[in-house]
Amino acid sequence: MAALLGIVFPATFTGTGKLPLNSRFQRRLVVKCSNERRILFNRIAPVYDNLNDLLSLGQHRIWKNMAVSWSGAKTGDYVLDLCCGSGDLAFLLSEKVGSTGKVMGLDFSCEQLAVASTRQNLRGRSCYKCIEWIEGDALDLPFDDCKFDAITMSYGLRNVVDRIRAMKEMYRVLKPGSRVSILDFNKSNESVTAFMQDWMIDNVVVPVATVYGLAKEYEYLKSSINGYLTGEELETLALEAGFSSASHYEISGGFMGNLVAVR
């Protein structure tokens, strides 16, 4: 999901049919994911954006701008924001592609998508009208092959249960020569950086989340980062999925990282 806790877990919940938000927000396929995680993200949706601003001191907006820039999205493009959450990257992408382009924002949480749709309705620029929200599964994308000019994903790949499958799905729907840009926490090989990352989670992130009654949800971050891939491993993963090239960039002092892969 787009923010500090993106998670997609295939399991038992299924959903079909249109959602009554607006004509741009609809479910297009059966979604298989963990009902527990779906409930978690639906529950935190109302405070998600405020928490992200607090926990990153607003820096997540800088990181997301960088991720969108690395995607290479441009005027008139047809682009996908995968695990879009409440829509931060989708809005940034719409500013890149303009009113002649198209942005698809896909997520498995209907409440996160409801927040995204509400935010969209409050924005006046014509480019924001080019966004369509879809509830779907990152491991089984409801799109044709070679569909998109660019793909972004923030805080999602770290927690999908099958990362190679997720990468292969992104490869499948991306046009040849186009890029995927994936932002997430960086699993650093540097002991000092790793120590500081753990310290920040224990002494800043979890205490702040506790105020919102979300301590357990954010305690999960540490184990999810420890179980993630290093930058070099992410590059290897992208190449194994079929991408022609892949580069991982450490940002924000090594606390965050962004993978850029070219089909």
Side-chain angles (χ1 to χ4, degrees):
M1 316 296 123
L4 297 181
L5 254 174
I7 304 176
V8 178
F9 282 75
T12 57
F13 184 90
T14 61
T16 56
K18 291 199 173 183
L19 294 169
L21 290 173
N22 57 43
S23 61
R24 294 181 177 275
F25 179 13
Q26 49 188 292
R27 301 180 187 180
R28 292 230 174 143
L29 76 167
V30 173
V31 181
K32 298 179 180 179
C33 60
S34 165
N35 197 37
E36 178 186 352
R37 290 299 172 183
R38 180 189 295 269
I39 291 170
L40 183 157
F41 275 97
N42 286 342
R43 186 164 72 85
I44 69 175
V47 298
Y48 204 40
D49 292 328
N50 287 339
L51 267 175
N52 286 332
D53 280 327
L54 283 172
L55 296 176
S56 70
L57 300 178
Q59 291 187 76
H60 73 102
R61 301 185 184 280
I62 298 172
W63 308 329
K64 289 171 181 176
N65 266 297
M66 294 172 72
V68 167
S69 294
W70 267 317
S71 76
K74 60 187 183 303
T75 302
D77 277 355
Y78 189 53
V79 301
L80 170 65
D81 182 27
L82 188 56
C83 301
C84 67
S86 58
D88 279 355
L89 268 73
F91 293 123
L92 293 172
L93 283 168
S94 71
E95 293 169 6
K96 292 285 188 181
V97 305
S99 57
T100 60
K102 181 75 173 180
V103 179
M104 307 299 290
L106 184 142
D107 201 283
F108 82 146
S109 168
C110 63
E111 293 297 330
Q112 291 279 4
L113 291 171
V115 172
S117 181
T118 298
R119 294 177 70 194
Q120 179 185 23
N121 291 335
L122 294 174
R123 297 181 178 221
R125 290 175 57 180
S126 60
C127 64
Y128 299 132
K129 294 180 173 60
C130 74
I131 306 172
E132 182 175 344
W133 311 107
I134 298 178
E135 184 177 356
D137 189 344
L139 303 184
D140 187 16
L141 297 176
F143 307 113
D144 294 334
D145 296 353
C146 305
K147 188 77 171 178
F148 295 101
D149 297 293
I151 298 175
T152 58
M153 185 184 200
S154 64
Y155 305 102
L157 185 63
R158 171 171 41 92
N159 292 310
V160 295
V161 295
D162 191 340
R163 292 174 187 138
I164 186 64
R165 181 175 171 184
M167 288 300 300
K168 285 182 176 179
E169 275 293 273
M170 286 184 268
Y171 177 87
R172 179 182 66 80
V173 301
L174 193 63
K175 292 179 181 178
S178 297
R179 296 182 223 160
V180 59
S181 178
I182 301 173
L183 171 67
D184 214 313
F185 284 94
N186 178 49
K187 182 179 179 180
S188 179
N189 290 319
E190 298 293 330
S191 58
V192 174
T193 302
F195 171 82
M196 288 301 299
Q197 202 169 50
D198 286 348
W199 187 92
M200 288 291 292
I201 292 171
D202 290 337
N203 295 279
V204 179
V205 173
V206 173
V208 171
T210 300
V211 175
Y212 289 83
L214 299 171
K216 290 183 178 179
E217 288 80 356
Y218 281 81
E219 285 171 356
Y220 167 78
L221 279 175
K222 187 189 292 186
S223 62
S224 74
I225 295 169
N226 290 337
Y228 195 38
L229 303 178
T230 64
E232 184 176 347
E233 290 168 338
L234 286 168
E235 291 172 351
T236 300
L237 180 74
L239 296 176
E240 289 177 353
F243 288 90
S244 62
S245 65
S247 300
H248 183 266
Y249 303 97
E250 293 188 355
I251 56 179
S252 192
F255 284 92
M256 300 292 155
N258 202 100
L259 175 69
V260 180
V262 180
R263 173 167 177 176

